[in-house]
């Protein structure tokens, strides 16, 4: 079996160039070291990978585990994830069995059944929203000790990156204008990537995985979810009706106006386009479609 999936190779090579190739070459040895360190076996990569090596495995006592090895970065992605998951606790997140900062590795509990919120609610977007808001209410918001958590203001400086010029001018210009009216600041801990794929079934409820960690306004969490909701249900015949329901639900939960919630959604969708432009020299067309839908809805209100 090829231990390093092709989609991981493609993502890392696009993102990291020669440095990425060297990291990919080192992975088999790193995995062997971690198998020995944590007494794990039967490491099987997940079918879909992004920028970290992710796999299921078996712990020494026979229980199921989850191994994650991150591509090294200055942002201490894996260290932040470990700290935040421990802060969340076992009622909200998988247990952290091990964290190796030198190898950017995490050994976690494998959630059961571990189905994503989208797959659980594929034909029922209203339920997906209801379950997500319930999880959102349970997330601790105190900042963890001992690790730097970036402010949302830092994340949105991507608007000013030279590479962001490839984003259509009207979309980026409107996002820049609306961003000035949003309250980004605050010392509230944000998951930072709160969407359907990071909300998993566990027992009779749901838990969260893969926190990125930022500090700022709670509305950002809702904006991330809204954009993924829009992408996933974009082609439904009742898509606009479902999206407006979701905007209303999160606006009510956070005490925001519909207009402000739409502004947050647009700004975060354009942020995704700018990040992709910086990393890959292009943006995802579905993100442009989503941003255009937000602009249309904003124009109607």
């Amino acid at each position: 079996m090829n231990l390093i999936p092709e989609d991981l190779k493609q993502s890392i090579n696009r993102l990291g160039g020669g440095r990425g190739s060297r990291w990919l070459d080192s992975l088999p040895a790193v995995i062997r070291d971690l198998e020995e360190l944590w007494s794990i076996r039967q490491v099987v990569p997940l079918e879909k990978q992004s920028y970290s090596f992710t796999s299921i495995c078996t712990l020494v006592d026979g229980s199921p585990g989850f191994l994650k090895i991150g591509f090294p970065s200055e942002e201490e992605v894996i260290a932040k994830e470990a700290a935040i998951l421990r802060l969340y606790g076992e009622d909200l997140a998988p247990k952290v069995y091990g964290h190796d900062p030198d190898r950017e590795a995490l050994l976690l509990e494998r959630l059961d059944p571990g189905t994503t919120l989208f797959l659980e609610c594929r034909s029922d977007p209203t339920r997906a929203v209801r379950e997500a808001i319930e999880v959102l209410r349970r997330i601790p918001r105190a900042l963890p000790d001992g690790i730097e958590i970036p402010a949302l203001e830092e994340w949105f400086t991507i608007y000013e990156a030279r590479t962001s010029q490839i984003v259509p001018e009207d979309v980026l210009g409107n996002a820049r204008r609306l961003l000035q009216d949003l309250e980004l600041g605050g010392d509230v801990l944000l998951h930072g990537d709160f969407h359907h794929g990071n909300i998993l079934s566990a027992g009779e409820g749901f838990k969260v995985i893969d926190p990125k960690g930022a500090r700022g306004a709670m509305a950002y969490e809702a904006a991330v979810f809204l954009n993924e909701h829009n992408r996933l249900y974009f082609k439904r015949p009742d898509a606009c009706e479902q999206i407006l329901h979701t905007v209303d639900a999160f606006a009510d939960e956070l005490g925001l106006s519909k207009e402000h919630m739409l502004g947050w959604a647009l700004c975060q969708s354009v942020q995704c386009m700018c990040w992709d432009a910086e990393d890959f020299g292009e943006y995802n067309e579905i993100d442009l479609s989503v941003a255009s839908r937000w602009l249309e809805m904003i124009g109607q209100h």
Side-chain angles (χ1 to χ4, degrees):
M1 178 183 66
N2 185 359
L3 199 57
I4 313 303
E6 284 301 318
D7 56 352
L8 179 63
K9 292 179 183 178
Q10 292 173 9
S11 296
I12 295 300
N13 283 326
R14 288 178 71 197
L15 183 64
R19 181 166 164 260
S21 296
R22 290 189 293 274
W23 180 74
L24 289 167
D25 289 342
S26 73
L27 265 181
V30 171
I31 293 167
R32 288 194 297 271
D33 290 345
L34 292 170
E35 286 175 324
E36 182 176 350
L37 175 67
W38 287 327
S39 300
I40 57 177
R41 55 189 173 83
Q42 296 176 323
V43 174
V44 179
L46 299 186
E47 288 186 7
K48 292 185 178 181
Q49 309 265 334
S50 54
Y51 307 109
S52 298
F53 173 83
T54 52
S55 67
I56 60 173
C57 62
T58 302
L59 307 184
V60 66
D61 63 359
S63 57
F66 182 87
L67 176 65
K68 180 174 184 177
I69 307 170
F71 182 58
S73 71
E74 296 177 358
E75 289 80 20
E76 298 185 285
V77 173
I78 296 297
K80 276 195 297 183
E81 182 173 348
I84 294 171
L85 288 176
R86 287 180 171 129
L87 179 67
Y88 284 177
E90 296 174 15
D91 290 338
L92 183 63
K95 301 174 188 175
V96 179
Y97 294 131
H99 170 219
D100 186 324
D102 294 332
R103 298 181 180 88
E104 300 274 352
L106 274 175
L107 180 63
L108 303 174
E109 171 192 17
R110 195 192 321 166
L111 298 179
D112 183 25
T115 310
T116 67
L117 181 66
F118 174 63
L119 291 178
E120 285 279 347
C121 307
R122 182 189 291 269
S123 60
D124 191 353
T126 302
R127 182 190 167 214
V129 174
R130 186 171 64 250
E131 297 287 3
I133 288 176
E134 180 58 34
V135 172
L136 194 68
R137 291 171 179 162
R138 295 163 52 207
I139 294 179
R141 297 301 173 182
L143 295 170
D145 295 327
I147 191 157
E148 185 68 26
I149 301 294
L152 277 184
E153 288 94 333
E154 297 175 47
W155 282 11
F156 276 104
T157 59
I158 191 62
Y159 277 15
E160 308 310 320
R162 179 184 55 81
T163 50
S164 296
Q165 295 175 7
I166 74 168
V167 175
E169 184 177 351
D170 62 326
V171 173
L172 182 58
N174 275 291
R176 282 173 170 159
R177 177 179 57 81
L178 288 168
L179 188 67
Q180 296 175 1
D181 296 329
L182 301 181
E183 296 288 339
L184 299 182
D187 286 328
V188 171
L189 175 65
L190 305 177
H191 179 284
D193 200 20
F194 185 75
H195 63 74
H196 309 58
N198 287 335
I199 304 171
L200 304 186
S201 58
E204 297 181 357
F206 290 88
K207 294 184 179 183
V208 289
I209 63 168
D210 203 19
K212 296 297 184 286
R215 51 186 170 86
M218 281 276 290
Y220 186 82
E221 306 277 57
V224 173
F225 187 90
L226 280 165
N227 279 305
E228 186 66 2
H229 204 70
N230 207 333
R231 295 181 195 103
L232 291 171
Y233 295 105
F234 196 87
K235 295 184 178 180
R236 277 177 64 108
D238 62 344
C240 287
E241 178 185 339
Q242 289 292 342
I243 294 305
L244 284 173
H245 162 77
T246 309
V247 169
D248 287 338
F250 278 100
D252 289 346
E253 177 68 20
L254 299 177
L256 298 174
S257 69
K258 177 181 290 187
E259 290 75 17
H260 264 77
M261 196 69 263
L262 287 168
W264 271 101
L266 173 67
C267 289
Q268 203 279 323
S269 67
V270 175
Q271 181 188 57
C272 292
M273 295 171 70
C274 292
W275 275 334
D276 282 347
E278 181 179 59
D279 289 341
F280 307 121
E282 60 185 2
Y283 54 81
N284 195 318
E285 286 296 328
I286 185 62
D287 286 331
L288 177 58
S289 298
V290 167
S292 299
R293 176 176 280 175
W294 293 133
L295 278 172
E296 182 180 349
M297 290 180 175
I298 289 168
Q300 294 170 353
H301 291 83

